[in-house]
Amino acid sequence: MAKEIAKRLDEGKNPKQLTVGNIDMETSQEPFIIIYDRFGKIVSGNGYLNSAIPQVPVGVLVASNKHVNSVTWEPKPKVRIASVSVKANDFYVLGGRSLVGVEHNIDCLVRLLFALWVHGLVGLFYARKYILKRRRP
């Protein structure tokens, strides 16, 4: 997504035309785009947090000068974003998506594994009890 927007910027497209809509980064699972100028100032975007486009740390953008930069970004406590930034001419493009869904899936998996572990221990306890019972004369 960020690479596609960067390609369009390289073709001379207007940044404000490439970011349509208003996505609440705190509640939405939709991907968003934020375009920054070469100094790291916000030019355009459709990802909002508290009714404003958040500023990513400039180091995240600078790291994308040489390669695609992927980081987990926490613009506000309990709001975690998986982001990718790329360089495009005089712009930086950051694409991101909330990690709420991923974190929910991880929590469910951990609970499932814990339940399986407990069931395994109970099963071993009863298996041991059964084996010891059969060994007695």
Side-chain angles (χ1 to χ4, degrees):
M1 181 173 65
K3 284 184 179 181
E4 182 61 32
I5 298 295
K7 181 180 174 188
R8 290 182 185 169
L9 287 169
D10 287 340
E11 293 169 354
K13 302 284 185 193
N14 183 340
K16 295 190 186 296
Q17 294 175 338
L18 298 175
T19 56
V20 179
N22 186 338
I23 297 168
D24 184 353
M25 296 166 56
E26 190 167 5
T27 60
S28 177
Q29 291 293 305
E30 293 292 318
F32 62 87
I33 290 288
I34 302 174
I35 300 173
Y36 299 90
D37 67 13
R38 65 181 178 191
F39 303 109
K41 302 290 182 203
I42 298 166
V43 173
S44 179
N46 61 2
Y48 287 81
L49 190 60
N50 299 330
S51 302
I53 298 174
Q55 178 68 47
V56 71
V58 176
V60 171
L61 301 175
V62 171
S64 63
N65 280 332
K66 297 181 182 177
H67 56 79
V68 174
N69 188 30
S70 301
V71 297
T72 302
W73 173 36
E74 189 172 5
K76 174 182 168 181
K78 297 188 180 183
V79 177
R80 291 177 17 98
I81 304 295
S83 70
V84 172
S85 59
V86 295
K87 179 86 168 96
N89 284 340
D90 288 337
F91 301 99
Y92 293 102
V93 180
L94 181 128
R97 185 174 179 182
S98 173
L99 287 172
V100 167
V102 174
E103 290 171 339
H104 173 73
N105 291 344
I106 290 171
D107 288 344
C108 289
L109 180 62
V110 167
R111 288 181 184 147
L112 175 67
L113 290 173
F114 179 74
L116 289 171
W117 177 72
V118 169
H119 280 74
L121 287 178
V122 169
L124 286 173
F125 173 77
Y126 282 110
R128 181 179 179 274
K129 192 173 182 180
Y130 176 76
I131 290 169
L132 290 177
K133 190 181 215 182
R134 290 187 39 94
R135 285 190 182 170
R136 291 187 191 156

